[in-house]
Amino acid sequence: MSEHWRRTNLPELVQRLLARPGHEHVRAAVSTILTEGLGLSYTAADHEVRLPEIHGRLDTLIGNTVFEYKSDLRRELPDVEARLPDYLAERTRLSGRASKASG
């Protein structure tokens, strides 16, 4: 992340996220941070990845890293905690690779 981008663009994105925007705005802000801030190619990430076995979808997947966007994590944390283990288990099953969980 360039110093210029960090000083000029990142504060604006953080301010937008602090306002607890809707899901799509959170996704767009994180996508901007990943692509413009960190230089990740947009096509390096899979978006809205369907997981049919558990009837859900991941917001963004980059390699083995799962991104789940919430507009207000304080309110939606129980949903994340309930669904994320299933998402990770399904990704492990589909990829055939063992996942490492931290806790």
Side-chain angles (χ1 to χ4, degrees), residues 77-96:
L77 185 58
D79 180 58
V80 172
E81 291 175 333
R83 297 182 68 89
L84 202 52
D86 292 337
Y87 288 170
L88 295 174
E90 182 65 3
R91 283 302 307 155
T92 297
R93 185 186 74 76
L94 291 173
S95 70

Side-chain angles (χ1 to χ4, degrees), residues 23 54-59 66-88:
H23 181 272
I54 60 170
H55 305 290
R57 63 170 173 71
L58 305 173
D59 289 324
V66 172
F67 288 79
E68 182 66 16
Y69 306 126
K70 299 297 179 189
S71 58
D72 188 345
L73 191 56
R74 293 172 296 185
R75 186 183 77 240
E76 299 175 87
L77 185 58
D79 180 58
V80 172
E81 291 175 333
R83 297 182 68 89
L84 202 52
D86 292 337
Y87 288 170
L88 295 174

Side-chain angles (χ1 to χ4, degrees), residues 11-73:
E12 177 186 332
L13 286 170
V14 169
Q15 286 302 312
R16 272 196 262 159
L17 291 170
L18 286 172
R20 290 189 217 97
H23 181 272
E24 192 56 29
H25 291 287
V26 172
R27 186 202 60 76
V30 173
S31 180
T32 299
I33 292 168
L34 292 171
T35 57
E36 294 179 27
L38 299 176
L40 180 74
S41 165
Y42 183 80
T43 59
D46 295 313
H47 305 277
E48 303 294 325
V49 178
R50 298 230 175 261
L51 299 174
E53 291 293 320
I54 60 170
H55 305 290
R57 63 170 173 71
L58 305 173
D59 289 324
T60 300
L61 178 67
I62 302 172
N64 287 334
T65 303
V66 172
F67 288 79
E68 182 66 16
Y69 306 126
K70 299 297 179 189
S71 58
D72 188 345
L73 191 56

